[in-house]
Amino acid sequence: MSNEKISTQPYKGTRDFYPEDMKLRNWFFGKIRESLELSSFEEYNAPMLESLELYIAKSGEELAKEQTYNFVDRGGRMLAIRPEMTPSVARMVAAKAGELNYPLKWFSIPNMYRYERPQRGRLREFWQLNVDIFGCDGFEADFDVIESAIRMLKSFGADESMFRVHINNRRFFNDVIAAIANTDTEGARRISKVVDRKGKVTREAYEKDMAELGVDADKLATLDSLYTMSVREATALCPESVGSGELLSLFDLLEKTGLDKYCVFDFGIVRGLDYYTGTVFEVFDEAPENNRAMFGGGRYDNLVGLFVKNAKISGVGYGMGDVTLENFLVTHNLVPNLYAAGTKVLVARFDDVPMEHYVAVTEALREAGITSTVYVGMKKFGKQIDFAVKEHFSHVVILGASELEKNIVKIKNLETREESEVSMDALAAFFGK
C-alpha cells in the first residue's frame, strides 16, 4: 500500500459544503421554494441515473458522450449521471401523459454532473433550479415562467437595476433569418448557431462564419440592425410570422402588468439547443463586474414526443444553476447575516453538576421550540464562552452547583453581555416562549 497521503481536496469541479456553506444554500433554496410555491408550482424529482440514450436522443450522441459521466452497469446497460433535468421531466410527463391534470406547473432543485472545464459560474457538479409548465400552448405560460423568475429574484431583494430579462422568439428568429438570408429551415438553423456564439468570437470570425453560410455584407448589415430595434420595430419586418404575434402578445402583457421594466427584446437571444421552438429568454446580471447571462430557457413544444408518438404536450421553462445565483446574490450584497436572527442557546457544563440536569434544561428549551445544546467538551467556562461566540450562539445558560441548589439558572446574553437570573420554571418564558 502506498505511503502517499490522500489529497484533502474535492474532485475537480466539485465543492465541499461546510455547515456555514449549507446554511447559505438552505437559505436560498428555501427562498426559491417559498416563491415558486406561492405561484402554485409543485416540486418533483427523478433518479440521478438515466439511460444514456435519453441524452443522445435529446442532445445528440457526441454531446451526450462528451459531457456526461457515463458507464456500463453490470447488466450491460449504458447509463449516465444526469447532466440536466429537462429530458427526465419530459420522460416523467410522457410516462403518465394520459393521467396528469394539465397544465402542470412543476419545479425541482436536483444536483447534476457535467464533464466540462470548470470556470466562474460553471462547475462539474452543480445544483440547478428547473421550472416548467406543460400542457399550455399559449403565450400566457411563457409569461408565467418569466414572471416566476422575476418574482424569485425580487424575493431576494433584487430590483430592476440588478438584472434584466432578454427575450426573443425562435419562430420569429427563424422566419426573419430565412427572409434575410433567403434560406430554408436547415440554413436558418445553421445561422442561428453562429448568432448564438456571436458574443464569444471576434467580429472577423463572426463575419467569416456568416459568409460561409451565404450571408454577405448587405444581408449582415440588415441582420445587425435588428439588435438595436424595439420589439415592435423588429416584428414589423416580418408581421406574418407566428413568432411575431407571440412576441407582441407577450410584451403587451408584460407592459400591462408593469413587468416590462425588468425585460427587453433582444434579437441575439437564440438559446443554442435545437429543441427550443418559440419564446426564448436569458436573465442577465447588470453588475459591471458580473455582467453575464445567469440563466435562461424557453418553449420546447416537441420534447415529450421523444417518448410518446404524436404527443402534443407543449412545454416552457428555464434552468438556473446554484453557482450563478450565489454569485449574483454576493455581487449585489443580497445575502443577509444568517446568524443574526433567532435564539440559539448553549448550556454551559460544570464538573460538579450531573449531566442529566443539563439534559433536562435542553429538553425544556427544545419543548418550547428553542434551539439548544449542552456543551459536551471538558473545557473551562471561559473557553465555553469563546466557543459559543464563534458558533453564533445568542445566549449561554449557566447552571453550577449553587444554581442547582436554588433551582435557578443564570442566562448570559452574548450580544449585550447582560446576565439574568431566572427560576427553572420560568426558563422558557424568559425567551418569550
Side-chain angles (χ1 to χ4, degrees), residues 343 345 365 370 395 397 409-413 418-423 425-433:
T343 301
V345 179
L365 290 168
I370 300 167
H395 297 79
V397 167
V409 294
K410 293 176 181 176
I411 303 174
K412 188 178 185 65
N413 185 314
E418 293 178 352
E419 193 168 282
S420 306
E421 187 175 286
V422 301
S423 69
D425 295 337
L427 186 56
F430 175 86
F431 292 105
K433 300 291 185 177

Side-chain angles (χ1 to χ4, degrees), residues 176 180 216-227 229 237:
V176 169
I180 292 175
D216 60 27
D218 289 340
K219 293 176 181 177
L220 192 59
T222 303
L223 186 61
D224 285 343
S225 69
L226 283 153
Y227 294 108
M229 290 185 183
L237 298 179

Side-chain angles (χ1 to χ4, degrees), residues 66-210:
E66 285 184 0
Q67 291 196 357
T68 63
Y69 286 85
N70 59 78
F71 61 95
V72 179
D73 73 1
R74 293 180 182 179
R77 292 170 287 263
M78 285 292 296
L79 300 178
I81 301 175
R82 62 185 176 204
E84 58 176 320
M85 201 64 170
T86 303
S88 293
V89 70
R91 174 184 59 73
M92 289 172 64
V93 171
K96 295 191 174 183
E99 305 170 36
L100 297 169
N101 189 33
Y102 303 97
L104 309 175
K105 296 180 67 173
W106 287 3
F107 80 95
S108 63
I109 316 176
N111 67 320
M112 292 176 280
Y113 293 81
R114 190 173 295 168
Y115 192 82
E116 56 186 354
R117 184 173 63 85
Q119 53 189 291
R120 179 173 172 78
R122 182 171 294 181
L123 297 174
R124 289 178 174 174
E125 182 191 31
F126 56 98
W127 277 253
Q128 180 170 288
L129 167 66
N130 301 272
V131 178
D132 295 276
I133 297 178
F134 288 95
C136 180
D137 297 331
F139 75 92
E140 294 87 353
D142 302 358
F143 171 84
D144 207 354
V145 295
I146 290 172
E147 190 273 342
S148 76
I150 294 171
R151 176 185 291 273
M152 182 263 297
L153 291 175
K154 286 174 62 181
S155 74
F156 289 104
D159 59 36
E160 65 268 29
S161 70
M162 299 178 185
F163 69 94
R164 190 74 76 246
V165 186
H166 292 234
I167 302 171
N168 196 12
N169 185 289
R170 282 292 287 267
R171 278 186 267 268
F172 169 71
F173 177 88
N174 290 339
D175 288 343
V176 169
I177 291 296
I180 292 175
N182 191 26
T183 186
D184 57 13
T185 302
E186 176 58 22
R189 187 191 70 81
R190 291 181 178 179
I191 292 171
S192 74
K193 298 292 185 184
V194 178
V195 173
D196 189 45
R197 59 176 182 267
K198 177 175 178 286
K200 302 175 183 177
V201 299
T202 64
R203 178 69 187 187
E204 183 181 12
Y206 173 66
E207 291 177 355
K208 179 176 180 293
D209 290 342
M210 282 296 201

Side-chain angles (χ1 to χ4, degrees), residues 272-330:
L273 296 172
D274 290 338
Y275 62 73
Y276 286 116
T277 55
T279 297
V280 285
F281 64 94
E282 292 185 0
V283 182
F284 280 76
D285 188 341
E286 291 290 283
E289 65 271 34
N290 195 44
N291 189 220
R292 63 187 299 272
M294 294 190 289
F295 63 96
R299 177 166 286 278
Y300 44 93
D301 289 338
N302 305 319
L303 197 58
V304 177
L306 288 173
F307 307 93
V308 180
K309 191 175 182 179
N310 299 320
K312 299 296 181 183
I313 303 172
S314 61
V316 58
Y318 61 88
M320 177 185 66
D322 64 317
V323 182
T324 54
L325 173 61
E326 187 172 337
N327 288 342
F328 173 77
L329 296 176
V330 171

